[in-house]
Amino acid sequence: EVHACLRRVDELSPLMDACERRRWQARMADAAYHLGQHDQFVELARSSQIPWYVAASERFARRAPGARRCSLTLPVRVQEHKGCAPATLSMLFAYFGEQVDPKEVADAICYDGTASQSERAWVEHYGWHFREFSLDLTTTRALIDRGVPFGVVTVEASSAHAQAVIGYDDLLGTLLLQDPTTAGIGDAAEAEFFERY
């Protein structure tokens, strides 16, 4: 449906400017990739001239034999203001069959953001185990291959953000992330992600 919709956009947009054309090519590259049209994906990604897509097409061209995509499905929870940790915890709990209201979690652990010790205490209060570890590709694959999504907190100089790691894509060299700021699934280039965070 997305592919057909994007084709229709092209038909109805004869005056599409160069910037919009590149964005359209990137969306078409996404559609081609998920339809298994990998040659078309590479061509569209490169022609989009968008750096992430160009790099993804290069990673795809270098993929190892047997490369695959592995993704888990979490219920979507969109965060309230500064509520990324409660929304992420709620998604993870729901994946394992326990429903918790992200607003109740936020009321219990948030005050202008979420302190990590508050998250730990809340999780352990509910009888779950909380483990901190340094994330790498081997650990990511081991957990996802066993059907275990997990939370990750990315820290910048003046902010931090919690989201769930739900998979990996060896074909593109990406991590798959369920970001509570959006209902969609995002991805991050593995090498850059691990180097930065």
Side-chain angles (χ1 to χ4, degrees), residues 69-160:
R69 177 182 173 99
C70 184
S71 179
L72 306 173
T73 303
L74 268 66
V76 175
R77 303 287 190 271
V78 178
Q79 75 180 59
E80 299 282 329
H81 177 68
K82 294 187 180 180
C84 57
T88 298
L89 289 172
S90 175
M91 288 188 284
L92 292 169
F93 267 61
Y95 176 83
F96 290 105
E98 194 167 334
Q99 300 301 319
V100 294
D101 182 349
K103 290 181 182 180
E104 290 178 18
V105 179
D107 289 344
I109 67 174
C110 293
Y111 178 76
D112 196 31
T114 310
S116 57
Q117 67 271 18
S118 298
E119 291 177 70
R120 277 193 297 275
W122 186 86
V123 167
E124 289 171 348
H125 172 77
Y126 277 86
W128 287 50
H129 296 283
F130 189 102
R131 297 292 179 261
E132 291 185 9
F133 54 92
S134 295
L135 187 59
D136 59 29
L137 191 52
T138 301
T139 304
T140 298
R141 288 186 179 155
L143 288 167
I144 297 301
D145 287 345
R146 287 169 178 80
V148 181
F150 55 92
V152 65
V153 177
T154 53
V155 180
E156 299 288 348
S158 61
S159 65

Side-chain angles (χ1 to χ4, degrees), residues 181-192:
T181 61
T182 177
I185 295 172
D187 47 11
E190 293 168 345
E192 289 86 347

